[in-house]
């Protein structure tokens, strides 16, 4: 089971590192878009070049984000990543990983979120994400 807990943390941490390294999370920045493959001619004719519709969140995922919002944590641009990290936290809790280890692994994401708000610090953000995960995402 130890291998599972390490793998569970790897993906969210890599995504968080990518976000933190790219300077993601500053409200004044626009999201980075990646070029998409050209649509087939028939697709263009049907007007499918519109932006993709984001996937709907489950009630528990939205409650998780709402709880973080209520305490002043900006999650707008990193919402999908934050939800995935929350789900990973639940898997790690289930595997018996202690809170301090979880906080160490999610530090890149929590640091990135903390920099978006003057009244937040990395530890407070991390603990809020862990508690919101326990409350809303862990079954």
């Amino acid at each position: 089971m130890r291998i599972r807990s390490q793998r569970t943390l790897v993906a969210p941490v890599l995504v968080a590192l990518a976000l933190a390294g790219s300077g993601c999370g500053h409200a004044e920045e626009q999201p980075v878009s990646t070029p998409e493959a050209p649509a087939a001619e028939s697709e263009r004719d049907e007007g499918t070049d519109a932006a993709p519709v984001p996937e709907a969140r489950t009630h528990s995922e939205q409650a998780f984000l709402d709880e973080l919002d209520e305490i002043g944590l900006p999650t707008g641009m990193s919402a999908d990543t934050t939800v995935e990290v929350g789900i990973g936290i639940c898997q790690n809790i289930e595997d018996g990983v202690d809170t301090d280890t979880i906080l160490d692994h999610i530090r890149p994401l929590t640091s990135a979120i903390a920099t978006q708000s003057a009244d937040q610090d990395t530890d407070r953000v991390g603990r809020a994400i862990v508690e919101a995960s326990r409350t809303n995402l862990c079954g």
Side-chain angles (χ1 to χ4, degrees):
M1 281 293 165
R2 183 71 180 151
I3 293 173
R4 178 175 174 223
S5 65
Q6 290 174 344
R7 284 184 181 165
T8 304
L9 286 172
V10 171
V13 170
L14 290 176
V15 171
L17 283 172
L19 287 174
S22 68
C24 179
H26 296 286
E28 65 275 6
E29 293 180 5
Q30 295 297 318
V32 177
S33 62
T34 56
E36 294 181 15
E41 195 63 39
S42 62
E43 289 178 0
R44 282 191 197 114
D45 293 341
E46 295 172 12
T48 57
D49 284 342
V53 177
E55 291 184 30
R57 300 194 197 293
T58 65
H59 176 70
S60 59
E61 290 171 349
Q62 190 58 54
F64 168 74
L65 291 171
D66 290 346
E67 182 173 330
L68 295 177
D69 240 4
E70 287 173 12
I71 60 172
L73 299 184
T75 58
M77 290 178 59
S78 61
D80 292 337
T81 301
T82 306
V83 168
E84 289 302 316
V85 168
I87 292 168
I89 288 169
C90 292
Q91 292 169 343
N92 281 276
I93 290 170
E94 184 179 309
D95 288 344
V97 178
D98 64 281
T99 301
D100 289 334
T101 301
I102 292 170
L103 290 171
D104 285 342
H105 285 118
I106 65 171
R107 192 164 314 282
L109 175 67
T110 58
S111 293
I113 293 173
T115 62
Q116 296 177 40
S117 179
D119 63 338
Q120 302 295 337
D121 65 50
T122 301
D123 187 57
R124 182 174 185 270
V125 170
R127 292 190 183 284
I129 291 173
V130 170
E131 288 309 311
S133 297
R134 281 188 178 122
T135 302
N136 298 292
L137 299 174
C138 301

